[in-house]
Amino acid sequence: KLQRPPPPGARTQRERAAMTLQGVAFLNPSGPTASYAADLAGPHLLHARSQAAAAEPGSGSPLASALPVLGAVLALGAVCRRHRRAATTRRATAEKRFPILSSRPASEGILPNLPEGIAPGVVTGKSLEILLEWAKQKGFAIPAVNCVSTSSINACLEAARKMDSPIIIQFSSGGAQFYAGKGLDNKEFHAAIAGAVAGAYHVRALAEQYGIPVILHTDHCAKDLLPWLDGLLSADERYFERHGEPLFSSHMMDLSEEPLEENIELCTKYLERMAKMNVGLEMELGITGGEEDGVNNEDANPEDLYSKPEEIWQVYEALSKVPNGNFTIAAAFGNVHGVYQAGNVKLDPKILGKAQTYICEKLGLPEGSKPVKFVFHGGSGSEK
């Protein structure tokens, strides 16, 4: 077929390709874009020109007219993709706040008199240590609530803001599975892992907007639930690689039903992994009575409901040897899960004071020091 002659003054395909590259360079003549365009488009255009030169001008070959433009388009697309990837990497590295809301200020007030190093939002690493130490010095406990939905998370954030208080928002394995929905298979703890991670992102998106510091935590993890914890730590590691901090503030290991030596050994092993990305560990010593999330200790030996100072020292000594390790101890002092009438639960918090004194003597610390950060579990049923 005969090729239709171009209209007078029309540019050739080759000229239009050259103009495309010139336009790319014009966008940022002093930056890398122009050199990227030349480097990336060069091979395409050289190949296109050689193919076009091999064809006679009047041959009507579509290859002769299409290849130069194709080379330019490919080059321009590669430049854009490279710039988008670079911009995404820069933003992920530079931003410490939740990325989606990073340019928006918190819409609510900020907890007054926060210590230096603490800011609204999820606290991790050194900020977590400062917050726990601040609570110890001020003599107050930070409440922890197991959440199973976005509504329960929002209710906790709202209550903490109204009370001007930090809060611990946490997920159990069963609660995290519920969060993910009944339609998701929990084989190999898939739903429990996905639900906890989804809840963590929800907390991160809103905690800063409520203007309060939040500890993002996971609850009881017995030995048979360790694969669930492994999945959450993998999520922490991926988040740490991208943002320089873990997804969660801390995780709990509840190996209180195992022999003390095995409990300490496994907690030390996991803390070594956690410490590399500034994740805190809560370990349980002794048994919390009652029932929670399918774990029933209502028939536990009464002696196991009360930890001994010597046992608490064993744990403290072992975990303190982990470099950069941050840990808390849930020691038993008669506390149980559930709600009971006053008098049915016999608390003995003096056990914790005796443990502090015992460890101070072991470490040669001044009298009155409190080296251990304790966690209290359960509903006490106390009148006070």
Side-chain angles (χ1 to χ4, degrees):
K1 296 181 182 180
L2 295 176
Q3 185 180 28
R4 179 179 299 175
R11 296 187 178 91
T12 65
Q13 297 285 0
R14 195 177 301 179
E15 288 174 334
R16 285 199 290 271
M19 290 182 65
T20 301
L21 288 181
Q22 290 171 5
V24 171
F26 176 75
L27 290 175
N28 188 6
S30 61
T33 308
S35 60
Y36 285 167
D39 293 343
L40 291 170
H44 297 298
L45 285 182
L46 288 176
H47 178 69
R49 286 167 181 164
S50 64
Q51 295 291 335
E56 293 295 332
S59 65
S61 171
L63 182 64
S65 59
L67 280 176
V69 175
L70 176 62
V73 171
L74 289 174
L76 182 58
V79 170
C80 294
R81 286 193 297 273
R82 182 179 294 185
H83 273 285
R84 282 197 298 269
R85 286 195 298 267
T88 301
T89 302
R90 286 195 300 271
R91 286 196 301 270
T93 304
E95 294 175 354
K96 293 298 183 183
R97 301 176 59 182
F98 192 78
I100 296 175
L101 301 173
S102 59
S103 61
R104 297 179 58 183
S107 58
E108 302 294 343
I110 296 177
L111 181 68
N113 303 320
L114 281 175
E116 186 176 354
I118 301 297
V122 174
V123 296
T124 61
K126 189 64 177 178
S127 295
L128 173 62
E129 294 184 45
I130 294 173
L131 182 59
L132 294 177
E133 191 62 34
W134 181 54
K136 188 195 301 183
Q137 292 175 359
K138 296 293 183 179
F140 70 91
I142 302 175
V145 185
N146 277 10
C147 294
V148 296
S149 67
T150 56
S151 298
S152 54
I153 291 174
N154 295 348
C156 290
L157 293 173
E158 181 180 352
R161 187 195 67 212
K162 288 181 178 179
M163 297 302 296
D164 283 333
S165 169
I167 191 170
I168 301 172
I169 292 181
Q170 60 188 27
F171 304 95
S172 66
S173 59
Q177 181 183 355
F178 183 89
Y179 192 101
K182 294 189 297 182
L184 194 59
D185 183 14
N186 199 40
K187 183 179 180 181
E188 298 180 347
F189 300 97
H190 172 67
I193 294 170
V197 170
Y201 272 98
H202 181 87
V203 173
R204 281 190 168 273
L206 290 181
E208 195 172 303
Q209 304 305 307
Y210 277 86
I212 55 169
V214 175
I215 297 175
L216 191 51
H217 188 58
T218 56
D219 203 10
H220 294 271
C221 178
K223 190 174 181 179
D224 61 339
L225 295 177
L226 287 178
W228 174 57
L229 177 58
D230 290 333
L232 297 179
L233 290 177
S234 295
D236 282 322
E237 288 166 343
R238 290 192 296 271
Y239 197 89
F240 184 84
E241 288 177 1
R242 183 164 186 175
H243 300 286
E245 66 173 344
L247 178 61
F248 289 87
S249 308
S250 53
H251 298 286
M252 179 187 183
M253 294 181 65
D254 181 1
L255 305 177
S256 56
E257 294 185 345
E258 313 302 326
L260 179 59
E261 292 73 18
E262 182 180 1
N263 188 350
I264 295 176
E265 180 183 356
L266 281 173
C267 285
T268 302
K269 175 183 176 182
Y270 271 84
L271 182 58
E272 290 172 349
R273 179 182 179 184
M274 295 176 177
K276 295 177 181 178
M277 49 183 168
N278 301 321
V279 177
L281 167 69
E282 176 195 347
M283 71 86 62
E284 179 156 339
L285 180 64
I287 293 178
T288 301
E291 187 273 337
E292 182 187 45
D293 203 24
V295 179
N296 195 323
N297 290 324
E298 292 178 325
D299 298 326
N301 187 335
E303 293 183 359
D304 293 334
L305 299 178
Y306 301 91
S307 301
K308 301 175 178 62
E310 295 80 7
E311 295 173 339
I312 298 174
W313 161 245
Q314 280 183 262
V315 173
Y316 185 90
E317 182 182 31
L319 297 183
S320 294
K321 294 178 181 178
V322 177
N324 197 41
N326 182 16
F327 64 92
T328 58
I329 300 177
F333 58 100
N335 44 323
V336 299
H337 288 298
V339 180
Y340 299 85
Q341 291 184 352
N344 288 353
V345 175
K346 300 186 183 300
L347 298 178
D348 189 7
K350 294 181 180 179
I351 289 176
L352 307 179
K354 291 177 181 177
Q356 296 281 30
T357 302
Y358 184 84
I359 294 175
C360 283
E361 293 174 353
K362 288 287 187 180
L363 298 174
L365 297 176
E367 184 178 352
S369 299
K370 298 177 181 178
V372 185
K373 296 187 283 287
F374 282 118
V375 180
F376 309 153
H377 277 257
S380 67
S382 172
E383 293 178 338
K384 299 183 180 179

